Amino acid sequence: MKKLAVCAAMLSLVACGGGYDDIDSSRPGGGIGSTVTNPDNNGDNGNNGGNDNNQFSDWKYGSQTEGNNTFSTRATVFSDNTFTVPTEPDFQKRVSVEVQRTAIATGGIAETVTINTVEPVKCTPSCDVVIRFDGVTSRYRMTQASDGVLKPLDKVVEDRLFNQFTTAKEAIVTLPFMSLPQPFEAKFNIKNYDVSKMRLTVEETTAP
């Protein structure tokens, strides 16, 4: 009788349509053969139940090489927020900042900062751009090198901005767009800038 009871139990599982496979696949995260998506790097590892820009940096890195030498590196970060202009109401635009390190012919290294505003700003030929780094507000003299491209006016300002963008955790850049009635505050998560990805490996050579 016991053997008959066990067989009946097994047959009932099969007859119900899948048995253990269905039970396993109904578990959180799926079961055997299911695909589990890894958490996004911009998340908070489940600590706060959503995106937490304080946990991860948004920097994207790139470099230019020649042979075994890396002679130029760059790190780019895009603003967390977007803006629209009246002429393109359905198009979301995003500001970006690029910092670059380049080996120069004299043997030194040039460190530059570029703010790509996408849209022209009220900065002709130069203007004071208000930037708040980690809650501290300062003005930086910049020039609009071309429509939608801001660069520091001189090396002193450039050095200050390069240092701030690569050491602070957050930056808020106030941009007076020509197409908007009010300035736009572009917010950047710049925490955890990785200096190891910005190292140059140019071999120095000397004449005999």
Side-chain angles (χ1 to χ4, degrees):
M1 291 296 292
K2 288 183 179 179
K3 288 182 178 180
L4 289 173
V6 170
C7 289
M10 293 296 292
L11 286 171
S12 66
L13 279 174
V14 174
C16 290
Y20 292 113
D21 286 346
D22 283 347
I23 294 171
D24 190 65
S25 64
S26 67
R27 294 172 183 165
I32 299 170
S34 65
T35 301
V36 179
T37 302
N38 292 326
D40 191 308
N41 283 342
N42 288 328
D44 60 355
N45 294 333
N47 294 329
N48 296 320
N51 284 348
D52 184 354
N53 285 333
N54 290 324
Q55 296 296 321
F56 297 96
S57 166
D58 289 334
W59 287 107
K60 309 297 180 186
Y61 300 89
S63 63
Q64 290 180 302
T65 60
E66 185 175 313
N68 295 324
N69 297 329
T70 300
F71 63 88
S72 180
T73 59
R74 67 183 180 279
T76 305
V77 63
F78 288 85
S79 62
D80 293 336
N81 54 341
T82 61
F83 68 96
T84 60
V85 295
T87 55
E88 301 172 281
D90 297 326
F91 188 67
Q92 300 291 318
K93 299 192 176 187
R94 199 178 297 270
V95 180
S96 65
V97 171
E98 180 181 278
V99 295
Q100 188 169 4
R101 303 182 76 241
T102 306
I104 54 181
T106 58
I109 297 174
E111 295 179 327
T112 58
V113 177
T114 303
I115 300 177
N116 296 303
T117 65
V118 185
E119 284 284 314
V121 295
K122 300 171 185 175
C123 191
T124 306
S126 61
C127 61
D128 288 333
V129 177
V130 177
I131 306 179
R132 186 159 68 249
F133 289 103
D134 294 341
V136 179
T137 302
S138 296
R139 294 177 179 272
Y140 300 86
R141 197 70 178 173
M142 305 191 76
T143 182
Q144 190 166 202
S146 59
D147 283 351
V149 178
L150 285 175
K151 293 188 175 182
L153 188 64
D154 54 39
K155 191 176 185 306
V156 173
V157 177
E158 190 148 53
D159 288 346
R160 286 179 61 200
L161 281 175
F162 190 95
N163 179 66
Q164 291 280 36
F165 273 112
T166 57
T167 58
K169 298 178 181 179
E170 179 189 66
I172 300 177
V173 183
T174 302
L175 298 168
F177 286 118
M178 295 183 67
S179 54
L180 297 179
Q182 300 294 332
F184 172 74
E185 291 189 339
K187 301 176 182 179
F188 297 89
N189 168 30
I190 52 176
K191 186 179 181 180
N192 296 329
Y193 168 82
D194 192 345
V195 68
S196 68
K197 294 181 180 179
M198 295 291 284
R199 289 177 180 157
L200 303 178
T201 57
V202 179
E203 295 179 2
E204 294 184 4
T205 57
T206 55

